[in-house]
Amino acid sequence: IAGITQAPTSQILAAGRRMTLRCTQDMRHNAMYWYRQDLGLGLRLIHYSNTAGTTGKGEVPDGYSVSRANTDDFPLTLASAVPSQTSVYFCASSLSGAADTQYFGPGTRLTVL
Amino acid sequence: GQNIDQPTEMTATEGAIVQINCTYQTSGFNGLFWYQQHAGEAPTFLSYNVLDGLEEKGRFSSFLSRSKGYSYLLLKELQMKDSASYLCAVADSNYQLIWGAGTKLIIKP
């Protein structure tokens, strides 16, 4: 592994289903983030974690949950998917939760029907 | 509320110079980032400004004026591979990044 990986690359999901997007980094970064990117809008922060064992809510947290059991992994769960959650999801990490450069994973394209 | 404004789309010619502007209104300021994002790919870091002035990095330069809430990204000697979206983001008082919608730059031969 080099950098940040995300899985799956893309997914089509029926509304109401549960889905977990995976994110793993090998840079030993303390902070990790989940964003969604929609056409015409900037990246919007869903949840973040400044260090293992802690998480926080971003701008658009409703319908999503996260956990940070260790430094490397930061999964994002949609408990019951809705069509408005159709988006491209990016995971990112930075050395700390301050204004450090964020490095992005390749993204997961999710379609909820 | 917090707001980042940048033009939706710009067109420039290969070999020329282009300036992409970004204005911001945020609760606090802990620096401004520029990222490049090619279609279908992840954003990649270009520059970071926290003090007023110009930061030069090869063909790319970024300028910041905190008093005016303004930044620009200057791209020189444009190449076809520079066709991408350019994202402006500001770290607010909580160090969370507030992102603009991005400027799609089209380079014509």
Side-chain angles (χ1 to χ4, degrees):
Chain A
I1 297 176
I4 303 182
T5 58
Q6 293 183 235
T9 301
S10 66
Q11 182 76 42
I12 299 174
L13 190 65
R17 298 296 295 266
R18 180 184 180 90
M19 175 75 192
T20 295
L21 308 186
R22 300 184 298 279
C23 175
T24 299
Q25 55 102 359
D26 67 353
M27 297 180 283
R28 308 306 295 171
H29 282 173
N30 288 308
M32 297 187 74
Y33 314 85
W34 274 105
Y35 291 96
R36 60 179 290 173
Q37 187 174 41
D38 303 290
L39 271 175
L41 299 176
L43 288 161
R44 291 183 291 169
L45 183 65
I46 304 171
H47 285 286
Y48 66 93
S49 168
N50 285 333
T51 190
T54 69
T55 62
K57 294 181 179 180
E59 179 186 356
V60 288
D62 293 344
Y64 306 94
S65 63
V66 292
S67 61
R68 186 90 184 276
N70 56 60
T71 298
D72 298 346
D73 301 301
F74 192 43
L76 176 74
T77 297
L78 289 68
S80 179
V82 295
S84 61
Q85 292 178 311
T86 293
S87 188
V88 179
Y89 291 85
F90 286 104
C91 179
S93 72
S94 64
L95 187 60
S96 76
D100 286 330
T101 300
Q102 294 185 13
Y103 297 89
F104 285 78
T108 293
R109 184 173 296 275
L110 182 67
T111 302
V112 182
L113 301 176
Chain B
Q2 308 201 91
N3 197 49
I4 310 285
D5 284 318
Q6 46 181 138
T8 302
E9 188 175 296
M10 299 181 70
T11 302
T13 304
E14 190 177 16
I17 299 172
V18 70
Q19 178 176 310
I20 302 173
N21 296 325
C22 171
T23 57
Y24 62 89
Q25 288 180 307
T26 56
S27 57
F29 179 85
N30 282 298
L32 185 144
F33 294 82
W34 284 97
Y35 279 75
Q36 180 189 60
Q37 185 177 26
H38 286 102
E41 298 184 7
T44 55
F45 170 77
L46 287 177
S47 68
Y48 172 68
N49 295 67
V50 66
L51 299 176
D52 291 351
L54 187 68
E55 294 276 346
E56 296 186 79
K57 198 184 288 187
R59 293 189 300 114
F60 291 11
S61 302
S62 56
F63 171 84
L64 175 68
S65 168
R66 289 172 296 171
S67 63
K68 294 182 179 178
Y70 168 70
S71 173
Y72 67 72
L73 181 69
L74 192 71
L75 291 73
K76 304 175 187 175
E77 301 168 15
L78 286 169
Q79 301 175 9
M80 297 304 293
K81 68 179 182 179
D82 297 329
S83 291
S85 288
Y86 292 85
L87 314 181
C88 174
V90 171
D92 70 8
S93 57
N94 295 317
Y95 294 98
Q96 288 190 6
L97 291 190
I98 310 302
W99 296 81
T103 299
K104 183 178 181 180
L105 178 63
I106 300 168
I107 310 296
K108 295 186 174 180

